[in-house]
Amino acid sequence: MSAVAQVQQVAKTVAVSTGKVANAKSMMIWRPHGNKMFETFSFLPPLSDAEIAKQCQYLLNNGWTPCIEFEDAEHAYADGHGWSNLDSSINSLYYDNRYWVMWKLPMYGCQNTDEVLAEVNMAKKCFPDCYIRVVGFDNIKQVQCAGFLVYRPASGAACAVDKRQIQG
């Protein structure tokens, strides 16, 4: 009358895996030191002017106002500060009392990515020891909708891609 449930024996694994033999070594450990990342795309190699222009065009296509911000290395990165003690390096656009200095005013009415690139290049020239990012503001919702790093100072160079993870 009562059926006995069949219990399937599962082989014990010694490591986390994606379940595919070909991917057994794809699970990597993130190196926590010298691996500071900021905003969207900061894990990539530096963006070219053409790549920055494409991202700026995305901001403009969505009706967002580009704004350029910069900050020195000491204040740009939030690592366990504020009341939350949260390492915000993994949270794009999470502030927790971490505000960057605005380069001029937001670029209200900007219609051309060349205008944004010119301002980014001027910010690089004036502040070569600072991080520089472009953010996109929605003037209707009154929120920041996008942000990406466009420049790292020589002292803040990102860890080489092949050095960012440890294979376990």
Side-chain angles (χ1 to χ4, degrees):
M1 299 267 197
S2 64
V4 177
Q6 296 274 339
V7 178
Q8 181 181 1
Q9 294 294 328
V10 178
K12 185 176 180 180
T13 59
V14 295
V16 176
S17 172
T18 60
K20 297 179 181 176
V21 176
N23 294 337
K25 295 194 179 210
S26 66
M27 300 301 284
M28 305 290 274
I29 301 163
W30 183 257
R31 183 182 304 275
H33 307 292
N35 226 352
K36 293 180 180 179
M37 300 297 151
F38 300 86
E39 316 303 347
T40 309
F41 307 129
S42 66
F43 60 92
L44 296 173
L47 298 175
S48 68
D49 281 355
E51 291 168 326
I52 293 170
K54 285 181 183 179
Q55 296 307 316
C56 291
Q57 189 62 55
Y58 177 80
L59 301 179
L60 296 175
N61 289 349
N62 281 287
W64 300 334
T65 301
C67 181
I68 299 164
E69 297 178 340
F70 64 98
E71 191 57 78
D72 62 42
E74 183 181 341
H75 299 100
Y77 188 76
D79 184 8
H81 81 289
W83 66 269
S84 66
N85 210 25
L86 176 70
D87 177 0
S88 64
S89 64
I90 58 171
N91 299 315
S92 181
L93 304 175
Y94 178 79
Y95 286 102
D96 194 19
N97 292 328
R98 174 180 55 109
Y99 297 99
W100 289 24
V101 179
M102 191 181 306
W103 171 261
K104 299 184 179 179
L105 292 173
M107 300 180 74
Y108 299 112
C110 176
Q111 298 294 316
N112 187 336
T113 60
D114 291 338
E115 295 174 44
V116 180
L117 285 172
E119 292 298 330
V120 166
N121 289 326
M122 184 59 73
K124 287 180 193 179
K125 182 179 176 182
C126 292
F127 297 100
D129 295 330
C130 290
Y131 290 91
I132 301 172
R133 68 180 173 198
V134 173
V135 295
F137 288 102
D138 185 324
N139 67 336
I140 304 300
K141 296 178 182 174
Q142 298 291 306
V143 296
Q144 183 173 323
C145 297
F148 56 98
L149 196 69
V150 294
Y151 176 76
R152 286 179 183 267
S155 63
C159 198
V161 174
D162 62 339
K163 304 289 185 209
R164 292 182 188 169
Q165 298 177 343
I166 302 167
Q167 193 163 7

